[in-house]
Amino acid sequence: MGEVSVVTRSYTVRPANGLHLRPWSQFVKLAHGYKCRIEVVKDSARSDGRSMLSLLTLAAKCGDTISIEADGDDAENAVNALIAYLEAYEDIDE
Amino acid sequence: MQKLQGIAVSPGVAIGEAFVLDNEGFRIPRRFVARDAVDSEVERLGRAFDETRAQAERHRDTVSRELGSQYAAIFEAHVQMLSDPQLRQELDDSIRTRHYSPEYAVSRVLRRYAKVFQSLDSSFLAERSNDIVDIERRLLQVLLGKPREEISNLTSPVLILAYNLTPSETAALDRRFVMGFVTEIGGAASHTAIVAEGMEIPAVVGIGPFLNDVSGGDLVIVDGNTGTVILQPDEETIARYRFEAEQDKSRHARLEALRDLPSQTIDGVRIELMGNIEFPNEAPHCLERAVDGIGLYRTEFLYLGSDSVPDEEDHYRAYAEVVQAMQGRPVVIRTLDLGADKLVTRNPTPEDASPLGLRSIRLSLRNISLFKTQLRAILRAGALGDVQIMFPLVSALHEFRQAKMIVADVIDDLLESNLPFSRNVKLGMMVEVPSAVIMLDQFVEEVDFLSIGTNDLIQYTLAVDRGNKDVADLYSSSDPALLRLIDMTVRAAALKQTPVSLCGQMSGSTTYTMLLLGLGLRSLSVPPSAVYEIKRVIRSVTIEQCRAVAARALVMENARNIRNFLKEELKKVLPEMNDYR
């Protein structure tokens, strides 16, 4: 087994309401489509990228920066797809 | 260890796990599970998650179809929460390492998440704690199932601890696994007491609020001899009670030697000993003890424990089972003896539950088709053996006459059918309302037999609601007024040589046996568990002795003195006899 390379990309929360139920549930759904380990980090807090509850406890508000870390065979694709999803996400009134 | 005191209503000692029902009849989840149950509990949790997730998916799809996908987002989020691997891991861990029950684990873990959300400095997220609570509630609903199903789906022996046990709850119980009952309310004549006696398991009622101190699965001791209940007993106490339970068993074995000895007094007077039953499966218990027949077959269970009115075949199957089990011995079937509040076809009003309201024979006479259904089944069962019909709560002669006419109608109907039945079924009544005792010289002209129901006779004579703990101290089988009413009944019955028996709980208590024989009763109908003890007293006394006891008791002025006197007299005859009833 060679060195496992960790793929990391960051994202700054744009939606005024922060990241809550809707974006995270889509995020988790997407994450389930990959095999690699996926984690989301905000400051010192770290969450399983497939755990809806612990992602919510990150309390990512507008202006916060989070980073997505992944390692495993499809890590690169996973991180890119997840970041792309978040970038495209727009608030709608709930 | 915590010791509680209540009213002992059914003797014996049981040591076992608590099964706790709160006052809405919902099961309070047990907090811990046994080590060897961990795997199956984790699996049960898994199934609950699958089912709850499937529910959320159905909600999502319905809402999405009807309102649009943006509205379904909340349910999609629920689906994702229920698919959360970390949540599952946490729950599985607390079951595996801390031995939490799935219910308790779900409550704890999800409430912790809800708290975290509330503490987050985002009001938007704080609101999400409601979603967590919602998920907790859904999971618990699935885990717990319907409360009644839970009671009927017991899988291991338990002690039932409850605020109160309703007839429908006890009817739904899976009796194989119930070792004893403890209830917060109720008195000596409560439904729980009757059921426990029938099942021959210990029961303590009227213990006061205690359910908050106990959780499901806790070890509990129920001492139905003294009315003591012990929560979380220490080793020494457990050992002492195990010893006592063993002694109970050997005492019972000694009593069994009485099985084949005749039920007669020293001076050779034969006393008929019959059994009281509520469920068909109790008939073999009676036969094992060589009773002379079933003196009281309560039929209420047919109307309880199911959501529909029983049809003729339901009745017939139950009666036929008992009549056949009794192999030709008489079986006295009592018609419906419930308040209107227990009928599923009716929206109950507070008056319906009143002991003075529309109940028993009154209810049957107002619901003729319901009554006829039961009577048809009884008459048909009459073809299989010696069946007799007894009407409860008759307070005036016209009620008995009306009931008799309806029986005649039913006989006419049956003649037109090709079904086998008996047209010579004897018709009798319970003597349990003071007005019936007062007018009994008229009743004896028309009835085939009488049976004194002391439970209600005490209630109506003394104006004491037998289910009300606050007045329980006024309710007594030793009350002098009751003794006089029994005396009057026996004398009135003698006018026409009408057979008279006594089937209340009083008959099952050895304290009263000498008194009852002395008052002239020659037939007693008792819970199967009491048959041997009563027979033992019968075989140890002479009628002359009993007459002296009765004569003395009849002139005494209060219940306590009478009770003490009767206990002393019993002790003189049988010094080692312990009457727990």
Side-chain angles (χ1 to χ4, degrees):
Chain A
M1 290 277 277
E3 282 282 300
V4 181
S5 59
V6 179
V7 182
T8 306
R9 278 183 66 181
S10 57
Y11 159 78
T12 301
V13 181
R14 272 189 305 105
N17 286 334
L19 296 180
H20 42 81
L21 284 191
R22 185 196 307 273
W24 281 133
S25 67
Q26 284 306 314
F27 183 96
V28 167
K29 221 174 166 179
L30 277 173
H32 277 299
Y34 298 91
K35 288 201 232 25
C36 57
R37 182 183 63 83
I38 300 172
E39 289 189 346
V40 178
V41 182
K42 192 193 112 182
D43 304 327
S44 58
R46 183 174 280 271
S47 158
D48 181 339
R50 295 184 182 88
S51 168
M52 181 75 191
L53 289 168
S54 82
L55 287 168
L56 282 167
T57 58
L58 291 176
K61 294 186 296 293
C62 182
D64 289 346
T65 298
I66 59 171
S67 54
I68 301 170
E69 291 182 11
D71 64 75
D73 286 347
D74 50 4
E76 184 86 42
N77 290 340
V79 171
N80 288 339
L82 291 168
I83 290 286
Y85 167 73
L86 289 176
E87 295 285 2
Y89 177 75
E90 296 285 347
D91 246 351
I92 44 169
D93 288 335
E94 291 193 38
Chain B
M1 189 165 92
Q2 194 181 347
K3 231 175 173 172
L4 306 161
Q5 188 62 43
I7 307 164
V9 292
S10 183
V13 168
I15 304 171
E17 263 190 28
F19 184 99
V20 186
L21 290 167
D22 72 8
N23 52 10
E24 271 102 44
F26 276 96
R27 185 159 78 108
I28 297 171
R30 66 164 67 187
R31 220 168 279 171
F32 298 102
V33 297
R35 193 183 301 268
D36 56 7
V38 160
D39 285 333
S40 62
E41 292 293 281
V42 168
E43 275 170 36
R44 190 162 71 87
L45 179 70
R47 286 195 299 275
F49 261 88
D50 292 345
E51 189 177 333
T52 313
R53 190 167 47 237
Q55 276 176 11
E57 282 167 354
R58 281 197 299 276
H59 274 130
R60 177 195 63 195
D61 296 345
T62 311
V63 170
S64 172
R65 204 168 44 242
E66 288 170 5
L67 301 169
S69 63
Q70 68 272 33
Y71 294 97
I74 192 94
F75 293 108
E76 175 58 29
H78 286 185
V79 171
Q80 293 307 335
M81 288 182 192
L82 288 161
S83 313
D84 190 324
Q86 192 174 318
L87 173 64
R88 277 299 294 284
Q89 192 61 49
E90 278 178 76
L91 291 170
D92 289 359
D93 284 351
S94 50
I95 296 172
R96 286 189 192 285
T97 59
R98 297 179 189 218
H99 297 166
Y100 284 173
S101 67
E103 291 88 350
Y104 189 58
V106 162
S107 266
R108 270 191 71 114
V109 172
L110 284 173
R111 277 177 201 192
R112 202 186 61 231
Y113 273 113
K115 267 220 177 96
V116 171
F117 282 21
Q118 275 162 0
S119 71
L120 295 174
D121 57 346
S122 151
S123 65
F124 189 87
L125 275 173
E127 277 176 27
R128 298 279 69 86
S129 68
N130 292 333
D131 291 292
I132 310 285
V133 172
D134 190 38
I135 284 181
E136 179 203 344
R137 197 175 50 79
R138 283 165 194 278
L139 277 169
L140 286 180
Q141 264 173 8
V142 171
L143 280 169
L144 292 169
K146 281 188 194 158
R148 195 188 287 177
E149 279 175 0
E150 274 296 330
I151 318 180
S152 59
N153 286 341
L154 296 173
T155 50
S156 61
V158 289
L159 298 167
I160 306 281
L161 276 49
Y163 169 71
N164 186 22
L165 283 167
T166 64
S168 56
E169 280 164 349
T170 50
L173 281 174
D174 186 336
R175 286 148 183 273
R176 288 170 301 166
F177 297 118
V178 180
M179 303 160 63
F181 294 118
V182 184
T183 59
E184 291 191 339
I185 66 160
S190 61
H191 179 76
T192 308
I194 292 168
V195 172
E197 280 196 328
M199 292 170 68
E200 302 179 25
I201 57 173
V204 175
V205 303
I207 211 157
F210 76 104
L211 292 177
N212 289 338
D213 301 333
V214 58
S215 69
D218 281 359
L219 195 67
V220 174
I221 297 175
V222 180
D223 183 343
N225 302 332
T226 61
T228 308
V229 174
I230 300 169
L231 309 180
Q232 289 127 13
D234 57 32
E235 288 302 322
E236 191 194 326
T237 311
I238 295 171
R240 190 156 49 80
Y241 272 98
R242 287 214 196 283
F243 178 69
E244 199 158 308
E246 281 307 308
Q247 280 199 316
D248 261 11
K249 259 191 206 155
S250 61
R251 190 168 53 92
H252 193 254
R254 281 202 303 278
L255 282 170
E256 268 178 3
L258 291 167
R259 184 186 187 281
D260 297 317
L261 298 174
S263 166
Q264 64 180 38
T265 58
I266 293 174
D267 48 341
V269 176
R270 175 87 169 81
I271 308 296
E272 188 180 47
L273 256 184
M274 317 270 279
N276 294 344
I277 64 166
E278 179 157 20
F279 295 89
N281 60 17
E282 292 170 53
H285 291 269
C286 291
L287 202 66
E288 267 165 37
R289 290 172 168 81
V291 297
D292 295 305
I294 301 295
L296 171 63
Y297 177 9
R298 304 180 172 96
T299 58
E300 288 70 61
F301 86 97
L302 285 160
Y303 298 87
L304 305 166
S306 86
D307 295 328
S308 58
V309 176
D311 64 19
E312 185 178 324
E313 288 311 309
D314 296 331
H315 283 283
Y316 179 74
R317 267 195 302 276
Y319 305 154
E321 185 181 340
V322 172
V323 174
Q324 280 166 333
M326 292 313 292
Q327 303 168 7
R329 291 172 182 75
V331 175
V332 178
I333 301 179
R334 182 177 69 186
T335 61
L336 173 70
D337 190 21
L338 283 176
D341 56 315
K342 300 299 189 311
L343 284 193
V344 291
T345 48
R346 195 175 155 103
N347 284 326
T349 65
E351 291 80 20
D352 281 348
S354 162
L356 304 179
L358 181 63
R359 56 192 307 116
S360 309
I361 192 67
R362 302 167 184 179
L363 189 59
S364 292
L365 294 175
R366 293 272 193 95
N367 292 273
I368 303 285
S369 74
L370 185 94
F371 193 29
K372 281 187 169 176
T373 301
Q374 180 169 34
L375 293 172
R376 272 178 73 99
I378 298 176
L379 292 171
R380 284 174 54 200
L384 306 169
D386 179 359
V387 170
Q388 309 182 10
I389 300 177
M390 177 155 74
F391 303 116
L393 204 78
V394 176
S395 56
L397 192 53
H398 68 83
E399 288 170 332
F400 185 81
R401 286 183 179 152
Q402 213 181 327
K404 207 170 170 176
M405 270 159 49
I406 294 169
V407 172
D409 281 355
V410 172
I411 289 175
D412 285 346
D413 292 345
L414 280 168
L415 281 172
E416 285 169 25
S417 76
N418 282 324
L419 296 165
F421 74 102
S422 166
R423 53 186 310 175
N424 300 313
V425 166
K426 285 185 178 150
L427 302 180
M429 61 179 260
M430 297 278 290
V431 177
E432 53 186 345
V433 183
S435 62
V437 179
I438 293 164
M439 305 303 292
L440 208 60
D441 56 324
Q442 295 184 357
F443 281 97
V444 293
E445 300 287 337
E446 313 201 12
V447 303
D448 294 325
F449 65 94
L450 299 166
S451 185
I452 305 173
T454 49
N455 299 2
D456 272 335
L457 190 55
I458 297 168
Q459 157 166 282
Y460 295 124
T461 303
L462 302 178
V464 174
D465 182 342
R466 62 195 243 203
N468 185 337
K469 184 173 178 281
D470 295 329
V471 291
D473 58 321
L474 299 173
Y475 183 98
S476 170
S477 296
S478 307
D479 197 277
L482 177 74
L483 270 46
R484 290 197 187 182
L485 289 173
I486 296 172
D487 185 44
M488 287 168 67
T489 304
V490 175
R491 286 171 191 277
L495 293 176
K496 284 274 166 188
Q497 278 93 48
T498 307
V500 57
S501 185
L502 189 142
C503 66
Q505 279 172 321
M506 192 177 179
S507 65
S509 163
T510 50
T511 301
Y512 301 104
T513 311
M514 292 178 78
L515 169 76
L516 297 175
L517 300 189
L519 288 172
L521 283 156
R522 296 293 176 264
S523 171
L524 299 173
S525 191
V526 309
S529 60
V531 168
Y532 292 143
E533 277 166 336
I534 300 298
K535 195 191 246 187
R536 184 154 174 240
V537 178
I538 291 169
R539 292 183 51 81
S540 310
V541 298
T542 64
I543 291 297
E544 199 191 331
Q545 265 178 321
C546 295
R547 284 204 181 114
V549 167
R552 176 79 196 282
L554 276 174
V555 296
M556 295 177 77
E557 62 179 19
N558 72 57
R560 181 194 296 220
N561 291 354
I562 292 172
R563 188 169 165 82
N564 290 339
F565 166 68
L566 295 175
K567 282 182 173 293
E568 275 167 33
E569 290 299 313
L570 176 65
K571 246 191 182 138
K572 283 185 199 163
V573 181
L574 285 165
E576 74 284 14
M577 192 107 200
N578 261 327
D579 185 17
Y580 292 129
R581 284 163 199 277

